[in-house]
Amino acid sequence: MDQYLQAAIEEAKKGLAEGGIPIGSVIVHKGRIIGRGHNRRVQEESVILHGEMSAFENAGRQPASVYRECVLYTTLSPCPMCAGAIRLYGIPKVVIGENRTFMGDEEILRASGVELEVLQDETCRKMMNDFIRGNPRLWNEDIGE
């Protein structure tokens, strides 16, 4: 398994262990992780700390030139908010663990020129399926169903 996807999965597991939603993300610049995070909506009572947003927060203020050379890894397809941040900072490539449990704004990302690589990783899919099955109300709270 890709070491960066593995790092994103470890972040997702941290979130789950903290009582949150198991979605993790890392931002990689020239082979080095510069930001890592996991969904902290529950832990921080936040409406914006999704896995990707948490990774951006952890990366901190980076010049646009750095973000334009990064790859963002995420365990789950990015929602519209996270896709917006990816577009805002000019991230050229996103590696997605899986998109079967949730299909985010992939078409908008592609239309904006972002390269997407969807892995359909079984670990990511099982983690989300197990979580959604055990916590449907919490999952639907954010997804809006």
Side-chain angles (χ1 to χ4, degrees), residues 17-67:
E18 293 169 357
I21 300 168
I23 303 168
S25 182
V26 296
I27 301 170
V28 179
H29 180 253
K30 295 184 177 180
R32 184 175 70 86
I33 295 175
I34 63 167
R36 58 178 66 234
H38 51 274
N39 188 300
R40 297 190 345 248
R41 281 190 334 98
V42 174
Q43 302 90 311
E44 303 290 329
E45 302 216 6
S46 170
V47 297
I48 61 169
L49 284 177
H50 288 194
E52 298 91 338
M53 301 302 276
S54 181
F56 276 116
E57 180 78 9
N58 180 253
R61 291 177 55 201
Q62 300 291 330
S65 60
V66 169
Y67 280 126

Side-chain angles (χ1 to χ4, degrees), residues 102-114:
F102 174 76
M103 174 59 75
D105 257 7
E106 293 181 22
E107 288 308 313
I108 297 267
L109 288 169
R110 280 190 189 95
S112 299
V114 178

Side-chain angles (χ1 to χ4, degrees), residues 48-95:
I48 61 169
L49 284 177
H50 288 194
E52 298 91 338
M53 301 302 276
S54 181
F56 276 116
E57 180 78 9
N58 180 253
R61 291 177 55 201
Q62 300 291 330
S65 60
V66 169
Y67 280 126
R68 285 193 297 265
E69 298 175 334
C70 288
V71 178
L72 185 143
Y73 288 75
T74 182
T75 58
L76 187 64
S77 185
C79 76
M81 175 180 64
C82 296
I86 289 163
R87 292 173 59 224
L88 176 67
Y89 292 108
I91 302 287
K93 181 175 181 179
V94 177
V95 178

Side-chain angles (χ1 to χ4, degrees), residues 16 22 75 98 101 120-133:
L16 185 60
T75 58
E98 67 100 0
T101 56
Q120 301 304 2
D121 179 81
E122 186 56 36
T123 300
C124 294
R125 191 167 46 248
K126 181 175 178 355
M127 192 165 35
M128 283 311 304
N129 279 332
D130 290 349
F131 179 81
I132 293 167
R133 191 171 28 261

